[in-house]
Amino acid sequence: MRKFILPLLASLAIATPAMANEGRIEARGGVIWSNGVSEDTWGMAAGYDFDLGETAFAGVEVSGDKIGTSGTKVSWGLAGRLGAKVGEA
């Protein structure tokens, strides 16, 4: 069950606004509730967004997330994103 909950929590982390050709680093944390037990989670992510013109951007992100009580196991991730610029910064 943790294999599904931890990535879900990571995807729900508050993301920074898309700013093309800029890097970002974020710290994140959360709680997993499973079978009446709660466990803390925490992690870091770093990414970079690339400008694709006036209306679009693409990005890449690497992350590491850990359940606080699971010893030294870390869940590593690599993600891509594609987005639209819909408002003025």
Side-chain angles (χ1 to χ4, degrees):
M1 186 69 156
R2 289 182 188 167
K3 292 179 183 178
F4 299 106
I5 294 174
L6 191 57
L8 176 63
L9 284 175
S11 70
L12 294 175
I14 298 172
T16 57
M19 293 177 272
N21 292 329
E22 291 194 15
R24 66 185 181 288
I25 297 175
E26 63 185 51
R28 51 195 182 189
V31 178
I32 295 174
W33 289 279
S34 177
N35 298 325
V37 177
S38 63
E39 298 178 281
D40 62 310
T41 65
W42 42 274
M44 300 261 328
Y48 193 85
D49 292 328
F50 301 92
D51 193 357
L52 298 179
E54 291 185 27
T55 60
F57 70 93
V60 63
E61 178 179 278
V62 294
S63 63
D65 294 291
K66 181 176 180 341
I67 297 174
T69 59
S70 70
T72 60
K73 293 181 181 179
V74 175
S75 173
W76 298 99
L78 175 64
R81 62 191 212 161
L82 183 62
K85 300 176 192 175
V86 296
E88 292 184 30

